[in-house]
Amino acid sequence: MSARNTVQRTIVLDALRSLANHPTADEVFDAVHAEHPSISKATVYRLLNKLSKDGDALKVKINNGADHFDHQTFSHYHIRCRECGRVEDVLIPVLTTVDCDAAKLSGYQNISHTLQFDGVCPACQGAGAGADAPPAQNAE
């Protein structure tokens, strides 16, 4: 990796960490570009993907939405607000045995899973959003 790439990588990772709110690539680019206007959008996108591939960031795939990025790299789940799109961590135990169970039942290998919760965040609840959303169903 060139020295320029290392400096840009550090800038992008620092921006991701300072945002600390599961930003999209565009949001990371905006933060980087404000301080370092010579860094291109393509560079930020490439580096975010490399950071996630290298394990220095998580790429959070959002159903029907843009990918978000997380500076927290440990295994955990996420929740997305249906109203504002905010993405946050849900720190509940990760279901570690389901991957093995799925492999045994399906014959697939190298299985992993993602789980995305959807709801209405406290800020949107306070603003009256989601009042007409159906109540959550209990899984019994």
Side-chain angles (χ1 to χ4, degrees), residues 11-12 18 29 32 36 42 56 62 66 68 75 80 91 96-97 99 106 122 125 127-128 130-131 134 137-138:
I11 290 167
V12 170
S18 70
F29 170 73
V32 167
H36 306 278
D56 295 318
I62 299 297
H68 288 244
S75 293
R80 180 186 60 87
L91 300 178
T96 56
T97 60
D99 295 338
S106 69
Q125 291 172 41
Q137 298 293 318
N138 290 335

Side-chain angles (χ1 to χ4, degrees), residues 5-107:
N5 234 352
T6 302
V7 169
Q8 290 175 336
R9 183 183 194 280
T10 300
I11 290 167
V12 170
L13 186 55
D14 288 348
L16 179 62
R17 288 179 177 151
S18 70
L19 289 168
N21 64 351
H22 302 86
T24 63
D26 281 342
E27 292 168 332
V28 175
F29 170 73
D30 290 344
V32 167
H33 190 71
E35 296 289 321
H36 306 278
S38 64
I39 299 178
S40 71
K41 186 179 272 195
T43 297
V44 171
Y45 276 56
R46 181 178 46 76
L47 288 171
L48 283 169
N49 284 312
K50 180 150 180 44
L51 287 166
S52 66
K53 182 180 175 192
D54 293 347
D56 295 318
L58 289 179
K59 182 186 282 191
V60 181
K61 298 269 188 197
I62 299 297
N63 300 334
N64 302 318
D67 293 341
H68 288 244
F69 291 86
D70 192 347
H71 69 289
Q72 301 285 353
T73 58
F74 60 91
S75 293
H76 61 286
Y77 297 121
H78 294 92
I79 190 164
R80 180 186 60 87
C81 179
R82 284 187 210 103
E83 300 297 323
C84 68
R86 171 189 208 113
V87 175
E88 296 187 67
D89 295 330
V90 177
L91 300 178
I92 60 174
V94 173
L95 303 171
T96 56
T97 60
V98 296
D99 295 338
C100 290
D101 293 343
K104 287 177 189 171
L105 290 170
S106 69

Side-chain angles (χ1 to χ4, degrees), residues 111-132:
I111 292 177
S112 64
H113 74 278
T114 59
L115 178 61
Q116 174 185 308
F117 296 96
D118 293 296
V120 179
C121 72
C124 288
Q125 291 172 41
D132 56 352

